[in-house]
Amino acid sequence: MAKHPYFPLDLELPGFVPNLIPYETILAVFFGCSALVVVFMFVLTGRFKYLSAVERLWAGWWMVTGIIHFVIEGTVVANANFYKDTTGNILNEIWKEYAKADSRYATRDAFIVQMEGVTAFIWGPICFAIVYGILYRSAWRFTAMLLVSLGQLYGDVLYYLTCFHIGVEKHTRPEPLYFWGYFVGANAIWIIVPITCIIYCARHVNAAVAATGKVKSH
Amino acid sequence: MAKHPYFPLDLELPGFVPNLIPYETILAVFFGCSALVVVFMFVLTGRFKYLSAVERLWAGWWMVTGIIHFVIEGTVVANANFYKDTTGNILNEIWKEYAKADSRYATRDAFIVQMEGVTAFIWGPICFAIVYGILYRSAWRFTAMLLVSLGQLYGDVLYYLTCFHIGVEKHTRPEPLYFWGYFVGANAIWIIVPITCIIYCARHVNAAVAATGKVKSH
């Protein structure tokens, strides 16, 4: 049986199969496909003549984050045995690689599995609804973006905090790629973009509330 | 040394001191004071002649939930030794009693401590700002209520889900008072009221966005 690379090294993971795809390929597929989704969405939404470039970029973000939630995070929630995969399925390869930065995915930590479950199967589908809401400027789009952005941000903040509470060294390999690249770097996206989105939505909502408030009060 | 009543019963909690106040008194103080805060806020906000009864009730909710977050939940985050208290301090007595429904507070479970930390010291202070925002009808009040309500709801959903993931019997006493009364019942408040508040805010925000959208587009 292959020895696994996850911390702590004495973790029992019977049936572990090492990565079958080199990590450079996994990263290239993940980030390459993500960038392509945003670019495709930007190009395709060009036909919605009334949308600003900023709105078209937000449509790209909500599409790509929805796909990542539903497809990629959905995989790790549904498939506790991802690390036993012998087929080289890219979705399992991603998680075999990421677990080097956080073995709680392999050990099925209660918070990780449940937070990812909500993210994949609640936030995920709502992300796709938000894409529709942005394209057709539905009145509820800012409300939905505020709620899901806060959900992403809070989930990610708790993700970092619980890891530091337990001790990063407990389930993160010490190499900089895993701590700085995967654990800090990749997850920071869901800190930075949701905060940006909350600010964007808050400006619109607060201005709209102020405008209608004036009409009604005076 | 006193034997503790928390599940699992073989948990090591050196220095445990049993409740010094009867649980009926603890519950009466907690729920009585909470109700009083809402009633006081309703009466006191009567001087804001432009506020509806619904707005005055929301001001009461945000005041009482802010106090519970900051004072009561803040206590358990800041004081890991609450179960050793010999003074009969009501804030520690509340947690000694509640831990019968969830010993993760005594064992300092990573998710519990960090989720309660965010709730106490991030949501808590924002609740008080929201009270101000409601009283003076600040334009940002709905945005803030949406965000904090989602934070409360998501934290509580993860609270239930992680408990069921691990197994309720692992850290909850079997008596109905603890499971149905404290664990399910008390926490259900932060499922029901935040959902109600999100619906309330979404209606106002979506209507305001729809109204200003019309002004701009046509």
Side-chain angles (χ1 to χ4, degrees):
Chain A
M1 197 174 69
K3 253 184 79 101
H4 70 71
Y6 307 131
F7 266 51
L9 291 170
D10 59 1
L11 214 58
E12 294 279 346
L13 293 174
F16 168 76
V17 175
N19 271 111
L20 302 167
I21 302 178
Y23 80 91
E24 297 91 336
T25 309
I26 295 171
L27 294 181
V29 169
F30 177 78
F31 287 104
C33 289
S34 298
L36 273 181
V37 169
V38 176
V39 171
F40 274 166
M41 282 299 292
F42 192 79
V43 172
L44 288 171
T45 53
R47 64 189 303 172
F48 292 78
K49 297 297 179 196
Y50 55 88
L51 290 183
S52 69
V54 170
E55 288 176 299
R56 290 160 64 194
L57 281 175
W58 281 123
W61 162 252
W62 286 106
M63 181 61 90
V64 75
T65 196
I67 293 171
I68 292 170
H69 291 338
F70 193 71
V71 179
I72 297 182
E73 292 170 89
T75 300
V76 84
V77 174
N79 181 13
N81 293 319
F82 66 89
Y83 58 81
K84 301 178 189 172
D85 184 48
T86 57
T87 67
N89 178 328
I90 183 73
L91 295 172
N92 291 325
E93 290 293 304
I94 287 174
W95 289 108
K96 281 186 195 176
E97 178 66 15
Y98 184 78
K100 295 172 188 170
D102 192 345
S103 67
R104 293 181 294 176
Y105 285 86
T107 55
R108 310 311 275 176
D109 173 88
F111 163 70
I112 293 290
V113 173
Q114 297 305 324
M115 179 274 288
E116 290 289 4
V118 172
T119 302
F121 302 119
I122 310 282
W123 305 153
I126 304 180
C127 290
F128 302 129
I130 287 173
V131 172
Y132 174 93
I134 292 172
L135 296 187
Y136 294 97
R137 283 191 170 161
S138 309
W140 49 263
R141 69 193 184 281
F142 294 119
T143 301
M145 282 192 270
L146 280 172
L147 294 174
V148 178
S149 293
L150 198 275
Q152 295 172 318
L153 176 63
Y154 190 20
D156 206 354
V157 165
L158 288 177
Y159 177 76
Y160 281 133
L161 289 177
T162 53
C163 193
F164 288 117
H165 180 107
I166 298 164
V168 178
E169 74 288 353
K170 289 275 167 57
H171 35 235
T172 305
R173 286 192 63 88
E175 294 87 349
L177 174 66
Y178 305 119
F179 177 72
W180 291 106
Y182 299 178
F183 176 71
V184 175
N187 289 297
I189 297 168
W190 283 271
I191 299 284
I192 295 164
V193 184
I195 288 177
T196 309
C197 191
I198 288 171
I199 293 170
Y200 167 75
C201 295
R203 280 189 182 152
H204 280 268
V205 165
N206 300 356
V209 169
T212 53
K214 267 178 214 146
V215 174
K216 274 195 285 186
S217 314
H218 301 290
Chain B
M1 199 172 68
K3 254 184 78 105
H4 70 72
Y6 307 131
F7 267 53
L9 290 170
D10 59 1
L11 214 58
E12 293 278 346
L13 292 174
F16 168 76
V17 175
N19 271 111
L20 302 167
I21 302 179
Y23 79 91
E24 298 92 336
T25 310
I26 295 171
L27 294 181
V29 169
F30 177 78
F31 288 104
C33 289
S34 297
L36 273 181
V37 169
V38 177
V39 171
F40 274 166
M41 282 299 291
F42 192 80
V43 173
L44 288 172
T45 53
R47 63 189 303 171
F48 292 78
K49 297 298 178 197
Y50 55 90
L51 290 182
S52 68
V54 170
E55 288 175 298
R56 289 160 66 194
L57 281 175
W58 281 123
W61 162 252
W62 286 106
M63 181 62 88
V64 76
T65 195
I67 293 171
I68 292 169
H69 291 338
F70 194 72
V71 179
I72 297 181
E73 292 171 270
T75 300
V76 85
V77 174
N79 182 12
N81 294 318
F82 67 90
Y83 59 81
K84 301 178 188 171
D85 184 48
T86 57
T87 67
N89 178 328
I90 183 74
L91 295 172
N92 291 326
E93 291 293 306
I94 286 173
W95 289 108
K96 281 186 196 175
E97 180 65 15
Y98 185 78
K100 294 171 188 170
D102 192 345
S103 66
R104 293 181 294 176
Y105 285 86
T107 55
R108 310 312 275 176
D109 173 88
F111 163 70
I112 293 290
V113 173
Q114 298 304 324
M115 179 274 287
E116 289 290 4
V118 171
T119 303
F121 303 118
I122 310 282
W123 306 152
I126 304 179
C127 290
F128 302 128
I130 288 173
V131 173
Y132 174 94
I134 292 172
L135 296 188
Y136 294 97
R137 285 191 170 160
S138 309
W140 48 263
R141 69 193 183 281
F142 295 119
T143 302
M145 281 192 272
L146 280 173
L147 294 174
V148 178
S149 293
L150 197 277
Q152 296 172 318
L153 176 64
Y154 190 20
D156 206 355
V157 165
L158 288 177
Y159 177 77
Y160 281 132
L161 289 177
T162 53
C163 194
F164 288 117
H165 180 108
I166 299 164
V168 179
E169 74 289 353
K170 289 277 167 57
H171 36 234
T172 304
R173 286 193 63 89
E175 295 85 349
L177 174 66
Y178 305 119
F179 177 73
W180 291 107
Y182 299 179
F183 177 72
V184 175
N187 290 297
I189 297 169
W190 282 272
I191 299 284
I192 296 164
V193 184
I195 287 177
T196 310
C197 191
I198 287 171
I199 293 169
Y200 167 77
C201 295
R203 280 189 181 154
H204 280 267
V205 165
N206 299 356
V209 169
T212 53
K214 269 179 213 146
V215 173
K216 271 197 286 186
S217 314
H218 302 291

